[in-house]
Amino acid sequence: MSALIEQYDALVCDLDGVVYRGPEAVPHAVESLNGAQASGVRIAYATNNASRPPADVAQHLRELGLDAQDDSVINSSMAGASYLADHAKAGDTVLAVGGAGVGLALRAQGFDVVSELPTDKRVMAVLQGYGPAVTANDLAQAAYAIQSGALWVATNTDLTLPTAIGTAPGNGSLVGAVRNAVDRDPVVVGKPGPLMYVMAAEHLGSAPHRTLGIGDRLETDVAGAAAAGMDCLHVLTGVHGPSDLVSAPPQLRPRFVAEDLRSLAQQYCEPQRRDGWWMIGDAGCRMSKDGQYALEWHGQPVGVERLRLALPTLWGTIDDGKIGLEQAVTTWMTSQ
């Protein structure tokens, strides 16, 4: 059995909750990614956080100890500007809402970038991304432009953003505020859409089936990787934990689950179906029913191996209509 990383040529790795939380590195992330890169695996970093320019993000990664080049960072502002380049022309006026990364990505595509509605020209589009200093007036300017017919593109709709202090409102919360004032929804270009993953794979020169997505959010990272035709490793260092995985619908179920990025260099044994059990080596799990459904264990699986065995067992029982999502989560919790 080979290490997980040996199955792939490249990685497209999320940042918040996977590599860092605010200014601090997630435990084991830096040495694991450096080890993967030293083995010849190419790495790009794809983040829905549109606020910072890629060069600033890359500098942050280097300060944490990673060997990251400026062009290895792809953010949702770049995806938004790329989308607009296909739907508008260079020189068109675009209202930028968010951090410095939003305007930088738009200028790189040749757009005339403004932060407030001009009086002498029409705003053709609005690109709205996250920024820690976004104000009520910024959101109002976006609403006015959209009401006047501007194309509205949102970099992402993540409702929350993990930080070193706690969980903060994300761009989705700000997009929701604008949506309350207008009569239509934005085009969303970041995760869970495939565009950033496609851009990353093209930059890395890797085919999707030979590229592994890595993330901590099911509805963005797992969904985005799947949309681009990639497998996904879900790490339990960020937003979504075991109970979220148990209740995930089929389209949001990752192929791989690990505690952290150390799993890249470790052997990864996927559960196999055998005689009614889901097995990893000599350890197994199946659903039993003695008055109520419960997980039955073979051997002594512990930690993340226990979760890896429980997930296909519970997912199959959910998909067969035998238990609901809440009952599945309760079944998992009571098995601990």
Side-chain angles (χ1 to χ4, degrees), residues 43-246:
I43 304 175
Y45 299 92
T47 175
N48 263 355
N49 190 332
S51 60
R52 291 193 292 172
D56 291 357
V57 177
Q59 178 60 32
H60 181 195
L61 294 176
R62 290 191 289 270
E63 290 169 355
L64 295 177
L66 285 164
D67 180 14
Q69 303 304 310
D70 291 357
D71 62 0
S72 67
V73 177
I74 297 171
N75 66 20
S76 54
S77 288
M78 296 167 64
S82 177
Y83 176 87
L84 285 174
D86 291 334
H87 292 81
K89 63 181 186 296
D92 281 348
T93 301
V94 179
L95 177 71
V97 178
V102 180
L104 182 68
L106 289 168
R107 292 186 186 93
Q109 293 288 353
F111 292 111
D112 172 32
V113 181
V114 297
S115 58
E116 292 194 351
L117 292 184
T119 58
D120 58 343
K121 51 191 171 184
R122 180 189 174 196
V123 170
M124 301 299 296
V126 174
L127 181 59
Q128 182 177 1
Y130 178 77
V134 169
T135 67
N137 182 61
D138 294 329
L139 301 180
Q141 295 294 314
Y144 301 150
I146 295 162
Q147 291 163 7
S148 297
L151 172 62
W152 183 21
V153 176
T155 60
N156 67 291
T157 52
D158 295 4
L159 293 175
T160 59
L161 179 69
T163 72
I165 300 174
T167 301
N171 194 53
S173 298
L174 303 178
V175 169
V178 175
R179 179 63 182 85
N180 289 335
V182 300
D183 60 356
R184 52 196 166 100
D185 295 321
V187 174
V188 182
V189 294
K191 308 170 192 178
L195 183 54
M196 276 198 296
Y197 287 92
V198 171
M199 293 170 67
E202 290 177 349
H203 170 71
L204 295 170
S206 177
H209 74 281
R210 293 289 300 171
T211 307
L212 179 66
I214 304 176
D216 67 308
R217 285 178 182 259
L218 301 177
E219 82 283 359
T220 55
D221 303 322
V222 175
M230 299 177 187
D231 292 332
C232 189
L233 167 65
H234 179 88
V235 289
L236 300 172
T237 54
V239 173
H240 287 143
S243 294
D244 302 299
L245 287 163
V246 168

Side-chain angles (χ1 to χ4, degrees), residues 284-300:
C285 181
R286 69 180 179 184
M287 188 68 73
S288 66
K289 188 176 189 299
D290 183 13
Q292 61 181 7
Y293 285 101
L295 294 176
E296 181 180 354
W297 301 96
H298 182 277
Q300 299 294 327

Side-chain angles (χ1 to χ4, degrees), residues 294-315:
L295 294 176
E296 181 180 354
W297 301 96
H298 182 277
Q300 299 294 327
V302 295
V304 74
E305 183 178 86
R306 192 175 181 90
L307 177 60
R308 290 172 184 167
L309 287 166
L311 286 173
T313 306
L314 290 164
W315 288 340

